[in-house]
């Protein structure tokens, strides 16, 4: 059972620490991991925009650094209406770890959209494992 409110609170809290001086579009992400822990990440922009890091990828990187590789649920908090979904790179990064996972998109006004990774990344490419 997913405690969505705990994930939303964690994503909103880390979103407040985002470094987004160029886009002014702060994003917070929270992952519920296989051991029951919550791992968070926020976006960190760079003046060389290609070096910017998304909240979702930062959360995945933090989880993998802790030895956790199976998110069970994801929350992304943005200020947009409707709430924004993860970008393509973040979708692919999540897909590297799991086939599918519920993703809740939220904004501070209380709008919520629930999607799955499979809905956001249909017919995803899967590299065949080595023989």
């Amino acid at each position: 059972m997913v405690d969505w409110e705990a994930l939303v609170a964690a994503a909103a809290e880390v979103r407040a620490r985002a470094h987004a001086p160029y886009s002014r579009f702060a994003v917070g992400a929270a992952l519920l991991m296989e051991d029951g822990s919550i791992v968070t990440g926020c976006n960190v922009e760079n003046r060389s925009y290609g070096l910017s890091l998304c909240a979702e990828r930062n959360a995945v990187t933090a989880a993998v650094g802790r030895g956790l590789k199976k998110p069970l649920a994801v929350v992304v908090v943005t200020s947009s209406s409707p709430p924004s979904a993860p970008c393509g790179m973040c979708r692919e990064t999540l897909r590297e770890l799991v086939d599918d996972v519920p993703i809740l998109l939220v904004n501070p006004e209380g709008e919520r959209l629930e999607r799955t990774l499979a809905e956001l990344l249909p017919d995803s490419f899967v590299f065949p494992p080595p023989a």
Side-chain angles (χ1 to χ4, degrees):
M1 180 109 190
V2 176
D3 182 352
W4 289 110
E5 296 316 308
L7 285 171
V8 168
E13 180 182 335
V14 74
R15 178 178 175 263
R17 295 190 294 273
H19 178 73
Y22 306 104
S23 72
R24 305 221 189 286
F25 191 73
V27 181
L31 310 177
L32 173 63
M33 301 308 297
E34 69 268 24
D35 69 348
S37 66
I38 295 174
V39 180
T40 61
C42 59
N43 58 320
V44 178
E45 293 180 352
N46 187 283
R47 70 191 76 195
S48 177
Y49 217 67
L51 298 177
S52 296
L53 297 169
C54 298
E56 301 89 338
R57 287 185 291 139
N58 275 333
V60 167
T61 300
V64 169
R66 294 180 193 173
L68 304 170
K69 294 186 179 180
K70 188 172 182 199
L72 303 177
V74 178
V75 167
V76 178
V77 177
T78 62
S79 60
S80 63
S81 179
S84 294
C87 74
M89 285 191 293
C90 290
R91 295 173 197 199
E92 290 287 354
T93 300
L94 287 165
R95 180 62 179 92
E96 181 72 17
L97 301 178
V98 292
D99 291 335
D100 201 12
V101 65
I103 300 175
L104 183 63
L105 312 171
V106 181
N107 68 20
E109 289 72 39
E111 288 181 272
R112 293 178 177 216
L113 299 173
E114 189 169 340
R115 301 289 186 261
T116 66
L117 181 57
E119 289 172 326
L120 294 175
L121 191 63
D123 302 320
S124 64
F125 173 77
V126 178
F127 192 78

